[in-house]
Amino acid sequence: MLILAVVPEPGTARACLEHAALARAAVDDARLVVLHPNADPERLIAAAEEVAIQELREAREGSAVSRAAAVRTVFDEWVAASPGGGEAEWRERPGAIGEVVAAAAAGAALVVLARPRNLDGQDALHEAVFHAGPPLLLVPDAPPPAALAHLALAWEPEDAARRALAAALPWLRRATEVTVLVAGGESNRPDASEAAERLGEAGVGANVLPLEGGGPVGAALLGACGRIGADALVMGSYDRPAVLEWLFGGATRDVLRDATLPVFLHR
């Protein structure tokens, strides 16, 4: 199993590395590859507009070379301080961020990204959410939990939730507690029996927690995660057209914006 940690910016690289190591430790026979996608204007094969945007960034954020060096410094310091960190493989690839992430993610079982601070991070997140095939573990810019012991699963009987459940099974199986969160009022609440059955077939026991209706689903999910002490949230995303969801909001967008815990996302 390949876990790909994407570290496009130095400010969030340490958090990404620590969460990726936690995800690797939770499953057997996983290897960790750390990717820095380098949008260096001098080596960028892209539209003139993209090159111009990257050149304008240098005045505010420093050159691509200096940003890459800063990310590599964070990686080296993490390797020196982390047991098993030396087993991680470092890769640096020049090119348009989305294309580099897409190529590297093609063989991965999980992509790990920290919530972005700069344009490179935003481009990497956009690719991972909208286009990349593997599930995404989006992590906060904060130290990880001690373990992925209690996982919450946001459930509705749609294909995105089913795919998210299936993709997260290696971590769900190793969790000591799994809670299925079901949003909606009493009259329109989805049936959680399918989720419980699918988890049971995989040898995973789960509790079902109905959420109070009436408010935004994303806020309800995150509030429940806080109350039950979940270490991470598993959810499907973007079964509706991605552009419409991104423009007009939805549970996924709210969670992407507000989550303070790691979130497994899968389309």
Side-chain angles (χ1 to χ4, degrees), residues 53-227:
I53 289 172
Q54 295 298 334
E55 290 174 341
L56 287 171
R57 293 182 58 205
E58 294 192 1
R60 184 182 63 186
E61 301 174 13
S63 69
V65 172
S66 65
R67 297 197 304 270
V71 173
R72 181 58 195 257
T73 296
V74 174
F75 172 77
D76 290 339
E77 292 174 349
W78 172 75
V79 167
S82 303
E87 299 174 3
E89 176 186 345
W90 170 265
R91 295 179 185 175
E92 183 178 333
R93 297 289 185 270
I97 298 294
E99 294 175 2
V100 172
V101 172
L110 181 70
V111 175
V112 185
L113 264 167
R115 178 171 294 136
R117 293 182 184 176
N118 70 11
L119 186 61
D120 286 347
Q122 292 168 9
D123 288 347
L125 177 60
H126 185 276
E127 179 63 36
V129 171
F130 287 104
H131 303 298
L136 166 68
L137 179 60
L138 179 67
V139 305
D141 184 12
L148 295 175
H150 185 180
L151 298 186
L153 170 67
W155 179 254
E156 54 184 344
E158 295 184 358
D159 287 344
R162 297 182 182 103
R163 288 191 292 267
L165 188 160
L169 272 178
W171 293 273
L172 290 164
R173 287 193 180 103
R174 295 291 292 270
T176 57
E177 186 174 3
V178 175
T179 301
V180 180
L181 304 178
V182 187
E186 293 185 4
S187 62
N188 62 347
R189 183 172 293 137
D191 184 359
S193 61
E194 180 185 347
E197 181 178 350
R198 287 173 178 260
L199 289 168
E201 291 172 351
V204 180
N207 303 311
V208 176
L209 177 63
L211 304 182
E212 296 181 5
V217 173
L221 290 171
L222 295 177
C225 286
R227 289 192 298 274

Side-chain angles (χ1 to χ4, degrees), residues 252-266:
T252 307
R253 183 180 178 182
D254 291 346
V255 169
L256 284 172
R257 184 189 62 228
D258 298 331
T260 58
L261 79 169
V263 181
F264 286 89
L265 287 163
H266 199 33

